[in-house]
Amino acid sequence: HGTGQPMGVAAEMVAATMNANLGGRDHGAMAVEEAVIDWSRRQAGLPEGASGVLTTGTSQATILAMSAARMKLFGDAVRKDGIAGLGRIRVYAAQGAHSCFEKAMEVMGHGSGAVRHIPLGPDGAMDMEALEAAIAEDRADRIVPMAVVGTAGSVNTGNFDRLDAIAGLCRREGLWFHVDGAFGFWAVLAEDPWCDVVKGVDRADSIAADFHKWIGVPYDCGMGLMRDGDLHRRTFSTRPAYLEGQVAGLGGGETWFTDYGLELSRGFRALKVWAGIKAAGVPALSAAISDNCRQAALMAELVEASEVLELAQPVQANVCCFHV
């Protein structure tokens, strides 16, 4: 966490002056958020037709992603019928994954016990054999596997799961693949070899990330991306008469972000993201992220050379954990 890019101060002033509601309707601010989402989609490697929405942060984006995963698994009727007839479900995440998944399951009515934590392997990533065994065990116990979370930068140690391996397993098992990339997603902008830590992120069904972390956008601003834009919209779209779209005018426009999340009243977060990326430029952001990784690697070298310090685990990106 830092102070945020200076450009964000000016952008926040402009956004406050405009006082635009980005829930919907056809006005210029909507186009800015569309541009930010499309840029992010391209960095992730998701295809045309993927969708997204800016959120307060990854915790909110996680609820959106898990709601879409449930809709895909159980069908559109879940919005009306609720969860009473669904039985127990399971979401799998590595030990050390963010607590937002327990919160998401609580809010969605499944309870925090729906999240099953999988032990880590010797490389600090989720143990894939243990994951496969857990899925088989749950199915035998008539618990329905729904999603697997790939962590891109864990909170405590900065560990990255092997996203490519998780993507392959999810495809074989018919499970939703979600990437929790709160800060680590932005390794997609890093130089070789650090960008390799997020190899496979382009195969995700959903991605949650924060702009207010590694690329320095002032708090708060996160995002949720979804591979299936139609499913994303069906999961949240509700259009009573006072929100009906029009052919032209202020009530027009093809993208209403209220159709892609929980909020109708939404501030102009997109402006500080757009302004920050434009002001710094992608090459500078890439250089800064890569330099962070070099710094962490250097710290690891210094720790290993020390007579009093010991490296807790190999450095993967920008986090170096050590002890006396």
Side-chain angles (χ1 to χ4, degrees):
H1 299 190
T3 56
Q5 295 183 29
M7 180 57 69
V9 177
E12 291 278 54
M13 292 176 64
V14 173
T17 303
M18 291 177 65
N19 198 33
N21 180 0
L22 273 79
R25 301 183 174 84
D26 193 7
H27 53 91
M30 297 289 289
V32 178
E33 183 158 342
E34 287 177 335
V36 168
I37 291 298
D38 187 61
W39 178 81
S40 302
R41 174 194 65 79
R42 287 184 279 113
Q43 305 314 308
L46 295 182
E48 292 278 354
S51 60
V53 65
L54 298 189
T55 62
T56 56
T58 294
S59 293
Q60 186 187 94
T62 296
I63 297 174
L64 305 186
M66 293 300 99
S67 296
R70 182 175 63 185
M71 185 99 143
K72 181 175 181 180
L73 180 61
F74 295 107
D76 293 19
V78 73
R79 288 192 62 180
K80 179 180 179 182
D81 298 339
I83 67 171
L86 302 186
R88 296 177 64 191
I89 69 166
R90 189 73 84 199
V91 173
Y92 305 90
Q95 287 179 350
H98 199 280
S99 62
C100 65
F101 292 95
E102 281 90 349
K103 283 189 176 182
M105 291 299 101
E106 291 171 6
V107 169
M108 293 168 63
H110 301 286
S112 59
V115 179
R116 181 166 180 172
H117 292 282
I118 306 300
L120 304 181
D123 59 354
M126 182 159 46
D127 186 318
M128 297 304 296
E129 290 186 4
L131 173 60
E132 290 193 62
I135 293 170
E137 180 182 327
D138 284 338
R139 283 188 167 138
D141 291 340
R142 297 185 179 180
I143 300 172
V144 181
M146 184 179 79
V148 180
V149 177
T151 298
S154 64
V155 179
N156 292 331
T157 58
N159 282 340
F160 286 73
D161 287 332
R162 288 175 285 137
L163 304 183
D164 239 355
I166 296 174
L169 182 144
C170 286
R171 180 170 295 181
R172 293 192 304 271
E173 297 285 348
L175 303 180
W176 184 276
F177 174 33
H178 174 75
V179 172
D180 176 21
F183 85 83
F185 168 76
W186 297 109
V188 297
L189 300 180
E191 301 165 7
D192 289 329
W194 297 289
C195 59
D196 287 344
V197 294
V198 287
K199 183 180 179 182
V201 71
D202 58 322
R203 301 173 67 185
D205 293 298
S206 57
I207 301 168
D210 287 329
F211 290 100
H212 55 228
K213 288 193 174 76
W214 216 352
I215 61 173
V217 171
Y219 274 89
D220 56 26
C221 191
M223 70 170 176
L225 298 175
M226 306 262 191
R227 175 176 296 275
D228 187 339
D230 178 64
L231 172 66
H232 187 183
R233 189 179 188 280
R234 295 200 326 270
T235 303
F236 298 103
S237 180
T238 299
R239 288 294 191 93
Y242 55 86
L243 293 178
E244 286 184 2
Q246 299 173 2
V247 176
L250 182 62
E254 294 185 1
T255 300
W256 286 45
F257 287 108
T258 187
D259 290 337
Y260 295 89
L262 304 173
E263 302 168 305
L264 174 57
S265 298
R266 303 177 66 252
F268 194 5
R269 295 186 184 98
L271 184 60
K272 58 188 175 184
V273 181
W274 182 88
I277 294 169
K278 283 288 187 179
V282 174
L285 293 173
S286 173
I289 290 170
S290 301
D291 282 347
N292 280 171
C293 296
R294 288 191 187 93
Q295 290 159 356
L298 174 59
M299 180 178 283
E301 292 176 8
L302 296 174
V303 168
E304 289 183 312
S306 170
E307 296 181 357
V308 296
L309 300 177
E310 184 175 343
L311 196 64
Q313 62 176 35
V315 169
Q316 291 182 283
N318 68 338
V319 176
C320 179
C321 295
F322 59 92
H323 58 84
V324 176

